[in-house]
Protein backbone atom coordinates (compact mmCIF):
# COMPACT_ATOMS: atom_id res chain seq x y z
CA UNK A 1 0.00 0.00 0.00
CA UNK A 2 1.18 3.47 -0.80
CA UNK A 3 1.27 6.33 1.58
CA UNK A 4 -0.23 9.71 1.21
CA UNK A 5 2.05 12.61 2.06
CA UNK A 6 1.48 16.32 2.32
CA UNK A 7 4.17 18.74 1.17
CA UNK A 8 4.92 22.19 2.59
CA UNK A 9 2.24 23.88 0.52
CA UNK A 10 -0.45 21.63 1.85
CA UNK A 11 -0.86 19.69 -1.39
CA UNK A 12 -1.29 15.96 -1.05
CA UNK A 13 1.06 13.78 -3.09
CA UNK A 14 1.59 10.08 -3.52
CA UNK A 15 -0.15 7.11 -5.06
CA UNK A 16 -3.28 7.34 -2.90
CA UNK A 17 -3.90 10.99 -3.75
CA UNK A 18 -7.22 11.62 -5.46
CA UNK A 19 -7.78 14.19 -8.13
CA UNK A 20 -10.47 16.85 -8.09
CA UNK A 21 -12.59 14.83 -10.51
CA UNK A 22 -12.45 11.82 -8.23
CA UNK A 23 -13.32 13.87 -5.15
CA UNK A 24 -16.42 15.31 -6.71
CA UNK A 25 -19.39 13.07 -7.24
CA UNK A 26 -20.84 14.52 -10.38
CA UNK A 27 -24.39 13.47 -11.06
CA UNK A 28 -26.49 14.66 -13.91
CA UNK A 29 -29.56 16.45 -12.77
CA UNK A 30 -32.55 16.29 -15.07
CA UNK A 31 -33.70 19.85 -15.22
CA UNK A 32 -36.84 20.89 -16.95
CA UNK A 33 -37.98 24.38 -17.67
CA UNK A 34 -41.39 25.80 -18.14
CA UNK A 35 -40.83 26.02 -21.90
CA UNK A 36 -40.08 22.29 -22.04
CA UNK A 37 -43.18 21.39 -20.06
CA UNK A 38 -45.56 23.44 -22.15
CA UNK A 39 -46.84 22.29 -25.51
CA UNK A 40 -47.32 25.85 -26.72
CA UNK A 41 -44.59 26.69 -29.30
CA UNK A 42 -45.77 30.25 -29.94
CA UNK A 43 -43.64 31.52 -27.06
CA UNK A 44 -40.41 30.21 -28.62
CA UNK A 45 -38.25 33.09 -29.77
CA UNK A 46 -36.93 32.94 -33.33
CA UNK A 47 -33.47 34.21 -34.14
CA UNK A 48 -33.62 37.85 -35.18
CA UNK A 49 -32.50 37.40 -38.80
CA UNK A 50 -34.78 34.44 -39.52
CA UNK A 51 -38.09 36.22 -39.30
CA UNK A 52 -36.82 39.15 -41.36
CA UNK A 53 -35.58 37.08 -44.30
CA UNK A 54 -38.90 35.33 -44.76
CA UNK A 55 -40.68 38.63 -45.22
CA UNK A 56 -38.10 40.51 -47.33
CA UNK A 57 -38.98 38.95 -50.67
CA UNK A 58 -36.51 38.08 -53.44
CA UNK A 59 -32.97 37.21 -52.42
CA UNK A 60 -31.18 38.30 -55.59
CA UNK A 61 -30.17 34.80 -56.66
CA UNK A 62 -31.51 35.40 -60.17
CA UNK A 63 -29.62 38.67 -60.44
CA UNK A 64 -26.43 36.97 -59.29
CA UNK A 65 -26.90 34.19 -61.82
CA UNK A 66 -27.55 36.75 -64.56
CA UNK A 67 -24.38 38.61 -63.64
CA UNK A 68 -22.29 35.44 -63.83
CA UNK A 69 -23.90 34.49 -67.17
CA UNK A 70 -23.13 37.94 -68.53
CA UNK A 71 -19.47 37.68 -67.55
CA UNK A 72 -19.28 34.15 -68.97
CA UNK A 73 -20.80 35.19 -72.29
CA UNK A 74 -18.39 38.13 -72.47
CA UNK A 75 -15.46 35.80 -71.88
CA UNK A 76 -16.68 33.40 -74.57
CA UNK A 77 -17.00 36.32 -77.00
CA UNK A 78 -13.30 37.07 -76.53
CA UNK A 79 -11.93 33.52 -76.47
CA UNK A 80 -14.32 31.88 -78.93
CA UNK A 81 -16.69 29.05 -78.32
CA UNK A 82 -17.26 25.63 -79.77
CA UNK A 83 -20.20 26.86 -81.82
CA UNK A 84 -18.01 29.45 -83.53
CA UNK A 85 -15.36 26.82 -84.19
CA UNK A 86 -17.88 24.41 -85.70
CA UNK A 87 -19.45 27.16 -87.82
CA UNK A 88 -16.02 28.25 -89.08
CA UNK A 89 -15.05 24.67 -89.93
CA UNK A 90 -18.33 24.25 -91.79
CA UNK A 91 -17.74 27.45 -93.71
CA UNK A 92 -14.23 26.25 -94.61
CA UNK A 93 -15.65 22.99 -95.92
CA UNK A 94 -18.33 24.78 -97.94
CA UNK A 95 -15.67 27.09 -99.36
CA UNK A 96 -13.52 24.13 -100.39
CA UNK A 97 -16.46 22.38 -102.04
CA UNK A 98 -17.63 25.45 -103.96
CA UNK A 99 -14.24 26.61 -105.15
CA UNK A 100 -12.86 24.91 -108.20
CA UNK A 101 -9.22 24.06 -108.46
CA UNK A 102 -8.88 26.42 -111.40
CA UNK A 103 -10.11 29.44 -109.39
CA UNK A 104 -7.66 32.21 -108.66
CA UNK A 105 -5.66 32.20 -105.44
CA UNK A 106 -7.53 35.28 -104.19
CA UNK A 107 -10.88 33.55 -104.67
CA UNK A 108 -9.66 30.40 -102.94
CA UNK A 109 -8.32 32.33 -99.95
CA UNK A 110 -11.51 34.35 -99.63
CA UNK A 111 -13.85 31.36 -99.93
CA UNK A 112 -11.86 28.95 -97.74
CA UNK A 113 -10.37 31.23 -95.08
CA UNK A 114 -12.07 34.62 -95.31
CA UNK A 115 -15.62 33.38 -94.91
CA UNK A 116 -14.60 31.19 -91.97
CA UNK A 117 -12.91 34.20 -90.33
CA UNK A 118 -16.04 36.29 -90.80
CA UNK A 119 -18.20 33.50 -89.37
CA UNK A 120 -16.01 33.34 -86.27
CA UNK A 121 -16.27 37.12 -85.91
CA UNK A 122 -20.05 36.97 -86.33
CA UNK A 123 -20.48 34.37 -83.58
CA UNK A 124 -18.11 36.28 -81.29
CA UNK A 125 -20.20 39.39 -81.87
CA UNK A 126 -23.41 37.52 -81.04
CA UNK A 127 -21.96 36.27 -77.75
CA UNK A 128 -20.72 39.78 -76.96
CA UNK A 129 -24.11 41.28 -77.70
CA UNK A 130 -25.80 38.69 -75.46
CA UNK A 131 -23.32 39.48 -72.66
CA UNK A 132 -24.01 43.17 -73.05
CA UNK A 133 -27.79 42.74 -72.97
CA UNK A 134 -27.79 40.40 -69.95
CA UNK A 135 -25.34 42.62 -68.03
CA UNK A 136 -27.36 45.77 -68.65
CA UNK A 137 -30.58 43.95 -67.69
CA UNK A 138 -29.07 42.84 -64.38
CA UNK A 139 -27.80 46.35 -63.66
CA UNK A 140 -31.21 47.87 -64.50
CA UNK A 141 -33.21 45.30 -62.50
CA UNK A 142 -33.13 47.15 -59.13
CA UNK A 143 -34.95 50.09 -60.72
CA UNK A 144 -37.96 47.82 -61.26
CA UNK A 145 -37.66 45.78 -58.04
CA UNK A 146 -38.37 46.37 -54.38
CA UNK A 147 -37.81 50.05 -53.53
CA UNK A 148 -35.08 50.70 -51.01
CA UNK A 149 -33.48 47.27 -51.37
CA UNK A 150 -29.95 47.74 -52.71
CA UNK A 151 -28.33 45.30 -55.09
CA UNK A 152 -25.42 43.32 -53.68
CA UNK A 153 -22.03 44.81 -54.50
CA UNK A 154 -20.68 41.60 -56.00
CA UNK A 155 -23.65 41.38 -58.37
CA UNK A 156 -23.00 44.92 -59.64
CA UNK A 157 -19.29 44.21 -60.00
CA UNK A 158 -19.75 41.00 -61.96
CA UNK A 159 -22.45 42.64 -64.11
CA UNK A 160 -20.14 45.53 -64.94
CA UNK A 161 -17.44 42.99 -65.83
CA UNK A 162 -19.91 41.28 -68.18
CA UNK A 163 -20.85 44.60 -69.77
CA UNK A 164 -17.18 45.56 -70.21
CA UNK A 165 -16.31 42.18 -71.73
CA UNK A 166 -19.36 42.46 -74.00
CA UNK A 167 -18.33 45.89 -75.26
CA UNK A 168 -14.75 44.76 -75.89
CA UNK A 169 -15.95 41.56 -77.59
CA UNK A 170 -18.41 43.48 -79.77
CA UNK A 171 -15.71 45.96 -80.79
CA UNK A 172 -13.28 43.16 -81.68
CA UNK A 173 -15.97 41.27 -83.60
CA UNK A 174 -16.75 44.33 -85.72
CA UNK A 175 -13.05 44.93 -86.35
CA UNK A 176 -12.52 41.29 -87.38
CA UNK A 177 -15.61 41.16 -89.57
CA UNK A 178 -14.64 44.33 -91.45
CA UNK A 179 -11.06 43.04 -91.88
CA UNK A 180 -9.60 46.03 -90.02
CA UNK A 181 -8.12 43.63 -87.45
CA UNK A 182 -6.13 40.76 -88.95
CA UNK A 183 -7.56 40.97 -92.43
CA UNK A 184 -6.86 38.44 -95.15
CA UNK A 185 -3.39 38.61 -96.69
CA UNK A 186 -2.93 40.12 -100.09
CA UNK A 187 -2.62 37.54 -102.84
CA UNK A 188 -1.34 39.74 -105.65
Amino acid sequence: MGTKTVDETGTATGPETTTDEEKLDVTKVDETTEADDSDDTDDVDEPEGLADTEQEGPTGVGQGAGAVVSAGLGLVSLTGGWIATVAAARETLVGQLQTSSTASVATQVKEVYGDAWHTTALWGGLFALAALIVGVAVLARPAFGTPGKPQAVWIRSVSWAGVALGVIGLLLAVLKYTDVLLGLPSTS
Side-chain angles (χ1 to χ4, degrees):
M1 258 195 176
T3 60
K4 182 173 153 184
T5 59
V6 178
D7 65 1
E8 300 172 351
T9 61
T11 309
T13 59
E16 293 182 0
T17 307
T18 59
T19 62
D20 290 339
E21 290 83 16
E22 293 171 345
K23 289 179 187 175
L24 293 176
D25 183 22
V26 181
T27 59
K28 185 175 180 182
V29 179
D30 187 21
E31 297 178 9
T32 59
T33 61
E34 292 177 23
D36 291 345
D37 291 337
S38 67
D39 292 321
D40 187 15
T41 57
D42 293 337
D43 295 336
V44 178
D45 292 332
E46 292 183 12
E48 287 183 30
L50 184 61
D52 294 338
T53 56
E54 292 174 358
Q55 298 171 357
E56 285 183 11
T59 59
V61 172
Q63 292 178 28
V68 171
V69 166
S70 172
L73 287 171
L75 190 61
V76 168
S77 75
L78 294 177
T79 60
W82 66 269
I83 194 164
T85 304
V86 168
R90 182 184 184 284
E91 197 62 39
T92 299
L93 181 61
V94 168
Q96 288 174 348
L97 292 174
Q98 290 179 351
T99 306
S100 68
S101 60
T102 59
S104 69
V105 173
T107 303
Q108 289 179 1
V109 168
K110 181 196 172 299
E111 291 296 322
V112 175
Y113 300 107
D115 291 347
W117 179 249
H118 290 155
T119 301
T120 303
L122 179 68
W123 279 103
L126 290 174
F127 277 108
L129 186 61
L132 192 59
I133 290 170
V134 171
V136 168
V138 169
L139 287 172
R141 173 64 177 99
F144 304 106
T146 307
K149 184 174 179 188
Q151 192 175 42
V153 175
W154 75 269
I155 293 174
R156 286 194 310 261
S157 298
V158 175
S159 295
W160 276 113
V163 168
L165 289 171
V167 167
I168 293 169
L170 198 58
L171 178 67
L172 288 175
V174 168
L175 291 175
K176 286 190 316 189
Y177 194 82
T178 58
D179 290 333
V180 171
L181 179 67
L182 300 172
L184 289 175
S186 174
T187 56
S188 51

